[in-house]
Each structure stands twice: as structure tokens, then as C-alpha cells.
Amino acid sequence: MSSSLPRAAIPPAITELTVDHEWLTVTWSDGPASRFPALWLRDNLPEGRHAPEGQRTFDIATLPAYIELGDAVLNDDGRLAVTFQPEGLTAIFEPDWLRGHDLSAAARAARRRRPTLWDAGLQERLPEQPWQEAAEGGPGLLRFLRNLDRCGLAILRGGPAEPETVFEAVSWFGYVRETNYGRLFDVVSLEAPSNLAFTGLALGLHTDNPYRDPVPGLQLLHCLEASAEGGESLAVDGFAVAERLRAEAPQDFALLARHAVPFRYLDRKAGVDLSARAPLIELDDEGQVVALRYNNRSAAPFDLPAEVLPEFYRAYRRFGRLLHEAGQRVAFRLAPGDLFAVDNRRVLHGRTGYGGGFGGRRRLQGCYADKDGLRSRLAILEAELEGA
Amino acid sequence: MSSSLPRAAIPPAITELTVDHEWLTVTWSDGPASRFPALWLRDNLPEGRHAPEGQRTFDIATLPAYIELGDAVLNDDGRLAVTFQPEGLTAIFEPDWLRGHDLSAAARAARRRRPTLWDAGLQERLPEQPWQEAAEGGPGLLRFLRNLDRCGLAILRGGPAEPETVFEAVSWFGYVRETNYGRLFDVVSLEAPSNLAFTGLALGLHTDNPYRDPVPGLQLLHCLEASAEGGESLAVDGFAVAERLRAEAPQDFALLARHAVPFRYLDRKAGVDLSARAPLIELDDEGQVVALRYNNRSAAPFDLPAEVLPEFYRAYRRFGRLLHEAGQRVAFRLAPGDLFAVDNRRVLHGRTGYGGGFGGRRRLQGCYADKDGLRSRLAILEAELEGA
């Protein structure tokens, strides 16, 4: 599994075993000990799966009400023979497998995916590469997928400037998420801001479709046309800004993570009324930021207790200010044939303003996809190319 | 919005207004009062949206640092004119809109979607109807979508027994979610259990693809062939069972909601390695159950602190036992042409056992879809047909 701890060059061996009814304690040749509950071991019996990491063949409901360890023996080949009672069942566990599933806090933390947070400094080392490199698969594709997974952002340069090229990029790792906007949507920008107050400001930073359930995990935008005067694309690492908020104003961070707010997109003529309630900052069970929604256009009236709203708005406004700080964003121009992919639950995108009164024009084609395919393909490529 | 409070036959009028810098208090002709923060009103300015419930045209970051109310006046037409300072901006609010967005705990709770929980008692009133009724759209389709939304389960009888018919049902409300299993997958069951211990037991209850991010929100299964000896389809309302767990063993419920566990599906030959960490019971910010994952086959080794595991397994096993109780499930037979749709984040599905040594056979075609389309179409139909 791609998120597992890297194996040591020489796998540590088991030097000592202790069995105490419901617990197995294993001491390793390089020092630490690992403790495993008997029921956890029984639930993860190698013989109970179609393959070492394959599908389990029994339901938890079929196990005896009480399970404890009988005996545990270290075989000559270094593997562990464990007997479970009352079943009298003996199973063989590989030391590598046990070590890879150590349940200590440090081992568990090391197994988690950690995003590479970034700010405007990323401008000097934008995660970009030639289209052809990714299109060839292998290490070039691995690089593209890893950029997108770790940075939430990846750019390909100099691909075909043909319609529907964006589908080709999706086919490298996953599937198009079709929505009411179609499998493919055209983004044609005429540089005529409807509100002059916004001119020159880096506004409009947002994540797409927070009113959708589930929110699309990835957005890919492919440039078909761009005039020289067109504005630049902007991107902001929402996870990095959320971590700034957590550090600088922990109460504000907690408020945005604590309360869900409604989002809505209504277009009666098109027969569409999408709505969802979700937090602006979404945490997992260990407190890590896993998703972010920010979209002034589709934020519906916040449906929170009246007394919570003043402090919630304080937090929301602070978060909005941090997201729009110049030091958080990168800017880049898309030429015809270029492709820009973002993690839509993490990276906000937008446009720069444009001055001088000259009209620019650009035409993009976009589509949505999901992250499961990305991570699956990445894990497979890592295993193939790096033995991960 | 479909989740709004039903409007009173005679809309209540505003009888009194109080302005106190950052707060507006409105007293209604039918008794209660509503309090609204100034900034919330300013953020939801009708002029700040393309339409009453349309997209907002400004970003929160563009508002003045401090906003308070100047004056609030009840016009002769019953509408409210509110002035914001320091901008000196006056906006008109409709009493109906304010009432519909009342921020009291009772009004907020009434706006939430509540599932209709069920157990084996649903067997007497299965949410089923003729295929043709739903296919005609209008009230028949509304009924199908509402069954699926509220019960998490809907059955259509007597549709075409042609391949790809399942796509027609999806087209009524949404879009197919393509995955590595394809846009369409065939489910061919040969009645030959590999483990006789399971024969006759209602095992195999599960939700699909918990290793996917995002998990498919809906599954549709359409029957092409079924022999008389084939087992029955089973369904269990996971939300109802979760609520039983919350009532009977609140600590167990809390443990399953508190901790995320890993799920994985690995098939190296097919180039697929899907994995996700998520809780078995997922709650929203108000403590309501919003998603459930239960799948013994793809549950990876629980990656929790060793000391948490014994109590976590106690909770997991209790939940598993409750899910498999006969009193929780409904059973039904699918004939060729029948279609069965489930909310895959709520309702577990499985098969009955089959005895007597007779081989049955059935062939289903299935696909995944998402709930946003379902709820959008439902909201539009409710507005059209019921003026909701």
C-alpha cells in the first residue's frame, strides 16, 4: 500500500514474544515492541482473505463471542504461529506484515498521507511538465499524478490544442464525473468584468460545486484558445491557508471546522436545484484537514444559531482575507494545448484582473473527475516503478 | 428549497422591529420573534445575488471590516427596508424570506432533511411501484425519487428486461458514476456458496465500495434473468440500526462515529489499488447520521491505537449483530425487468441463503450514481407539482 511505512533494508526480526490472553506483544531486533489485540489478529487472519491484502471472506458477526490467544511460537523461518481459542485455529503471521501494521502512535502517523503545503514560493518551482512526458505513462505519468496528489495542482504544457483533449488526460488515471454541466464544459471568458470594483483584484478564488454531494474531487481545465491580453490563472493551497488559520487563530479555525453551512445552485429554467450542507474546513478523525469549500457565489444564507453567527463571520472573514493574500498564491498563463489540474477539495482557483481596457479572450474545456482513481493509479505506478 | 419550512397558509406579518447596532429583531404576528445579525443580513443582500436564491455577486472579503445597522423601516407593503453602515446602503427584505430563514433552534431543526427510518415492518408496505409509472415522469417519478430519498430504497416492477435499461432509470434524475468496474457491471450469481457455514444465513449484508473516495451515493440494480430457485434480495436500513445502537449502547455508537478505519480493494492484475479511511458511522455537525460503511470484505486492518481496539471491536461486533437481526431487514424477489435502487451510504444490501441443493441463477446489471442529482430533481419536481 502506498501509504505504508518504507521497509527497512534489512527487515527487523522478532526477538521475543509475550502472550497474555487478549494481547500479543512482539519485541523487534531493532528495539521497539508492538502490541496486538487477539481479536484484531483473528479478524486479520491471512487465511481469512483471498490474498495477503485481498478481500476478507468472513463477516465479523460469525466469530465467537470471546476470542483469546492460546499459544504463539516463533518458527525457524522467523514467522509467527499463533493459536486462537476457543476455535483452536492456528495461523501464520509474517513479521513484515506485523511490523507494517504496528499500532503505535508514531507508526500510525507515518502511514498517513501528508500533503505538501505551499504558498507563493511555489511560483519558482511550479509543478509543471511537458504533456508528452505524462502521456507516455511510466515515470512521467507518475510525476504528474504525484504532483496532483501531493500539491493538489499539476500543469502540463504543450499538449494538443484539440477539443476533448481533456478526456485523454482523465483516461490516464480515472473516469469523468458527469454532472448537469455535462461530461465536458466550455469556459469562455470575455474580459469584461461586470463589476469594476473587482478589476485588478485577485478575486473570484473558489472551489467548484460545493453544493454538490459529493463534491467533484478533481477539476481538469484544458486551454484551446488564449489571447495575449488574457488574465492569468491563479491557484491557492487552501490546506496551507487553513493551517495558517489554525496557527494564527485557533478559535476561528475550530469554528469553521465545527459548523456546516449550506451551499446552493438553483437554475429553474435548466431544472437544477442542487444543495448541500458541509463545513468550510473539513477535518478527519485525527484533526487533519481533508477538504475545503470556499465559494462566495454559491454560499447560501448560513443556517447557524444566531448567537454563533457573529463569531462565525469573524472566522470566515479572516479565512477569506488569508486566502486572498498575495503571498499565498501562484499565477500562471495557460497557452493553447496546456492543461491545469486541481484537487478541487483543496486548491482554490481564480483569475487575475486585467487592466488597460484591452479585451482578452480565452477558451478552456473542463471536466470533473474523482480522487480515488488518481490514488489507485498512483499506488499501482509506485509499486511497479519504485517497489513501494 | 425543498428543505424549507412549509409556508403558513396566511404568511405571518411583521408587527415590530428593533434595531440594536449589530442585531435586528423582528416580531411576528403569530407570536415568535426572530433575531438576525447585521453582517448576516448584509451578506445576504437581495441585490447581492443574481436572483432571490441565485448566485452571490461579491466576495465576503470585499465587505467593510465593521458593519452595523442604521435604520430599519417597515414599508406600507409589509416589506422591510434596512440601512447598513458605514456603506449607507439600503436594502429591501421580504418578510417571507426572513421568516423562512429564521435562525432559532426549532426553525433550523425543521429545515433539516430527516430520513424515514424503517425495519422489517417495511415488508408490508415496500416502496415499490410499476416501472411505467416512474418512467412517465411527473407524480410517478416524484414518488420513486421520494421513496429513494426518504427510505433509501425504491423498487420498480415490470420494466423492460433488456440490457442497459438501468441507464434509462438513471437518466430520469442524474448521471452514471463510472468506475473501474465500468459504467455498467454485470452481477451473475450462481447459487453455489463457497462456504457452507453461510448457507441459509442472511450474511453478506454490506454497502458497496467503502474503499472509494467518494463512495457512490446510489446503486441501481436491474434484473435481466432470475430462476425460481434464486435467493431473495435483502435490504437493511443502516441509519435505523445506527439509531438503535445510539439508543442501546451510546458508547459503542460514539466509538464507531469517532474513529475512521481503512478500507481497501486491491487487484494488481487489473491495475487497481483503491483505499480510503472513513468512519463506519459518519455524523454531520449536528450529530445526525449521514453515511454508513459496512463491508467485511474490504475492511482493511483497523489502524487504531492498540488500546482503543478492544472497545472498538466490541462496538463493531454489536453493530454487526444488530445489522443482521431478522427484525431489521426486508426481503424481496426481483423478477426480470424489476429494478432495485438503494442509497449506498445508508442501506445495506445482501442475499438470502438458499437450501435444498438446487442451483438457482440470476443475472443483474448495475450501475452507480450520485445523490445530488436525485435531490435536485426531487426539489424541482416538488416545486412544480406541489409548489414546495
Side-chain angles (χ1 to χ4, degrees):
Chain A
M1 189 167 177
S2 62
S3 56
S4 292
L5 274 177
R7 298 226 167 95
I10 302 169
I14 294 172
T15 57
E16 201 184 319
L17 287 179
T18 318
V19 170
D20 179 12
H21 301 287
E22 292 174 60
W23 291 94
L24 172 71
T25 305
V26 166
T27 306
W28 300 99
S29 52
D30 60 346
S34 299
R35 291 178 77 222
F36 300 102
L39 182 50
W40 182 92
L41 289 165
R42 176 62 185 84
D43 190 29
N44 293 303
L45 212 64
E47 292 84 347
R49 291 181 181 275
H50 286 301
E53 299 292 338
Q55 302 283 285
R56 188 183 284 96
T57 54
F58 61 91
D59 192 283
I60 190 76
T62 62
L63 295 188
Y66 180 75
I67 285 176
E68 65 173 9
L69 298 174
D71 206 7
V73 178
L74 198 58
N75 288 347
D76 291 344
D77 58 5
R79 300 193 301 169
L80 199 62
V82 178
T83 305
F84 297 92
Q85 299 299 354
E87 298 168 291
L89 185 70
T90 298
I92 303 291
F93 289 91
E94 300 284 347
D96 266 15
W97 187 91
L98 287 169
R99 176 71 172 213
H101 290 84
D102 177 61
L103 298 168
S104 67
R108 293 177 53 248
R111 280 195 289 268
R112 298 290 175 261
R113 278 190 198 98
R114 300 289 174 196
T116 305
L117 302 182
W118 51 265
D119 59 18
L122 189 72
Q123 191 75 51
E124 305 311 313
R125 46 184 168 86
L126 277 179
E128 59 187 344
Q129 69 190 110
W131 166 282
Q132 192 51 35
E133 186 184 299
E136 281 166 10
L141 178 57
L142 174 60
R143 188 172 161 218
F144 172 64
L145 300 179
R146 195 173 266 166
N147 280 339
L148 187 49
D149 185 50
R150 294 195 182 164
C151 298
L153 168 66
I155 300 165
L156 298 179
R157 300 292 192 184
E162 302 302 318
E164 307 205 357
T165 293
V166 67
F167 290 152
E168 190 183 333
V170 174
S171 74
W172 298 337
F173 64 87
Y175 304 90
V176 171
R177 171 100 74 90
E178 187 173 1
T179 70
N180 52 296
Y181 303 126
R183 279 173 61 76
L184 188 74
F185 43 84
D186 274 300
V187 184
V188 179
S189 315
L190 290 172
E191 311 291 357
S194 60
N195 184 334
L196 288 177
F198 295 169
T199 307
L201 292 180
L203 288 176
L205 286 168
H206 64 281
T207 61
D208 266 35
N209 294 16
Y211 43 76
R212 206 177 284 289
D213 172 26
V215 169
L218 297 171
Q219 179 169 191
L220 289 89
L221 288 166
H222 172 247
C223 184
L224 291 174
E225 285 179 54
S227 62
E229 296 83 7
E232 294 182 295
S233 295
L234 298 177
V236 170
D237 183 357
F239 284 10
V241 176
E243 292 304 337
R244 265 193 71 192
L245 186 70
R246 170 145 49 187
E248 295 176 13
Q251 284 179 313
D252 287 353
F253 176 87
L255 280 161
L256 300 186
R258 166 72 186 82
H259 297 286
V261 294
F263 294 93
R264 189 178 190 195
Y265 178 78
L266 174 65
D267 182 347
R268 287 208 190 280
K269 277 184 205 155
V272 176
D273 186 356
L274 292 159
S275 59
R277 274 182 74 246
L280 295 169
I281 297 175
E282 189 177 330
L283 306 181
D284 70 10
D285 64 321
E286 295 171 348
Q288 194 176 338
V289 178
V290 289
L292 188 138
R293 289 164 186 86
Y294 188 90
N295 191 315
N296 67 294
R297 286 175 299 175
S298 54
F302 292 163
D303 192 16
L304 298 176
E307 64 276 14
V308 170
L309 278 167
E311 59 187 359
F312 188 85
Y313 266 107
R314 181 198 67 209
Y316 178 43
R317 276 147 71 95
R318 188 192 299 263
F319 191 41
R321 283 196 307 272
L322 294 180
L323 287 168
H324 286 94
E325 278 188 11
Q328 296 296 151
R329 65 177 174 260
V330 296
F332 48 92
R333 229 171 253 282
L334 292 181
D338 291 354
L339 180 136
F340 163 39
V342 283
D343 180 336
N344 184 56
R345 293 184 298 190
R346 170 178 172 188
V347 169
L348 289 79
H349 60 282
R351 304 286 314 283
T352 52
Y354 19 79
F358 296 106
R361 176 187 154 87
R362 71 171 184 173
R363 183 172 164 223
L364 305 177
Q365 278 190 329
C367 74
Y368 297 119
D370 284 304
K371 279 171 75 178
D372 50 1
L374 164 67
R375 286 179 165 158
S376 168
R377 192 83 197 101
L378 184 56
I380 291 288
L381 281 174
E382 283 176 341
E384 283 176 9
L385 301 174
E386 301 174 347
Chain B
M1 190 167 180
S2 61
S3 56
S4 293
L5 274 177
R7 296 226 168 94
I10 301 169
I14 294 172
T15 57
E16 204 183 316
L17 287 179
T18 316
V19 171
D20 179 14
H21 302 287
E22 291 174 61
W23 291 94
L24 173 70
T25 306
V26 166
T27 307
W28 301 99
S29 52
D30 60 346
S34 299
R35 290 177 78 221
F36 301 102
L39 182 50
W40 182 91
L41 289 165
R42 176 64 183 83
D43 190 31
N44 292 303
L45 212 64
E47 293 83 348
R49 291 182 181 274
H50 286 303
E53 299 292 339
Q55 301 284 285
R56 188 182 284 96
T57 55
F58 63 91
D59 192 282
I60 191 76
T62 62
L63 296 186
Y66 180 75
I67 284 176
E68 65 173 6
L69 298 174
D71 206 7
V73 178
L74 198 58
N75 287 346
D76 291 343
D77 59 6
R79 300 193 301 169
L80 201 60
V82 177
T83 305
F84 297 92
Q85 298 300 354
E87 298 168 291
L89 185 69
T90 298
I92 302 292
F93 288 91
E94 300 284 346
D96 265 16
W97 187 90
L98 288 170
R99 176 73 173 211
H101 290 84
D102 177 62
L103 298 167
S104 66
R108 293 178 52 249
R111 281 195 289 269
R112 298 291 176 261
R113 279 191 198 95
R114 301 286 174 199
T116 305
L117 303 182
W118 51 266
D119 58 17
L122 189 72
Q123 191 75 50
E124 304 310 314
R125 45 188 168 81
L126 278 179
E128 59 187 343
Q129 68 190 110
W131 166 281
Q132 192 52 37
E133 186 185 299
E136 281 167 8
L141 178 58
L142 175 60
R143 187 173 161 218
F144 173 63
L145 299 179
R146 194 173 268 163
N147 280 340
L148 187 48
D149 185 50
R150 294 195 181 162
C151 298
L153 169 66
I155 300 164
L156 297 179
R157 299 294 191 183
E162 301 303 317
E164 307 207 357
T165 293
V166 68
F167 290 153
E168 189 184 334
V170 174
S171 74
W172 299 336
F173 64 86
Y175 304 90
V176 171
R177 170 99 75 88
E178 187 173 359
T179 70
N180 52 295
Y181 303 126
R183 281 174 58 77
L184 188 74
F185 42 84
D186 274 300
V187 185
V188 179
S189 316
L190 289 171
E191 312 291 356
S194 60
N195 183 334
L196 288 177
F198 294 169
T199 307
L201 291 181
L203 287 176
L205 286 167
H206 64 281
T207 61
D208 265 36
N209 294 14
Y211 43 76
R212 206 176 284 289
D213 172 26
V215 169
L218 298 172
Q219 180 170 192
L220 289 89
L221 288 168
H222 172 247
C223 183
L224 290 174
E225 285 179 55
S227 63
E229 296 83 9
E232 293 183 295
S233 294
L234 298 178
V236 170
D237 183 358
F239 284 10
V241 176
E243 292 304 337
R244 264 192 72 190
L245 186 70
R246 170 145 50 188
E248 294 175 12
Q251 283 179 315
D252 287 352
F253 176 88
L255 280 161
L256 299 187
R258 166 72 186 81
H259 297 287
V261 294
F263 295 93
R264 189 177 189 196
Y265 178 80
L266 174 64
D267 182 348
R268 288 207 191 278
K269 278 185 206 155
V272 175
D273 186 356
L274 293 159
S275 59
R277 275 182 73 245
L280 295 169
I281 296 176
E282 188 177 330
L283 305 181
D284 70 10
D285 64 320
E286 295 172 349
Q288 195 175 337
V289 178
V290 289
L292 189 138
R293 290 165 187 83
Y294 188 89
N295 191 315
N296 67 295
R297 286 174 299 175
S298 55
F302 292 163
D303 192 14
L304 298 176
E307 65 275 16
V308 170
L309 277 168
E311 58 186 1
F312 188 85
Y313 266 107
R314 180 198 66 209
Y316 178 44
R317 277 149 68 96
R318 187 192 299 264
F319 191 41
R321 282 196 307 272
L322 293 180
L323 287 167
H324 286 94
E325 280 188 9
Q328 296 296 151
R329 66 177 174 261
V330 296
F332 48 90
R333 229 171 251 280
L334 292 180
D338 291 353
L339 179 136
F340 162 39
V342 284
D343 181 336
N344 184 54
R345 294 184 300 191
R346 170 178 171 187
V347 169
L348 290 78
H349 60 282
R351 302 286 315 282
T352 53
Y354 19 80
F358 295 107
R361 176 187 156 87
R362 71 172 186 175
R363 182 171 165 223
L364 304 177
Q365 278 192 328
C367 76
Y368 297 120
D370 283 306
K371 279 171 74 177
D372 49 0
L374 164 67
R375 285 179 166 158
S376 169
R377 191 83 198 104
L378 184 56
I380 292 288
L381 281 175
E382 283 176 339
E384 282 176 11
L385 302 175
E386 302 175 344

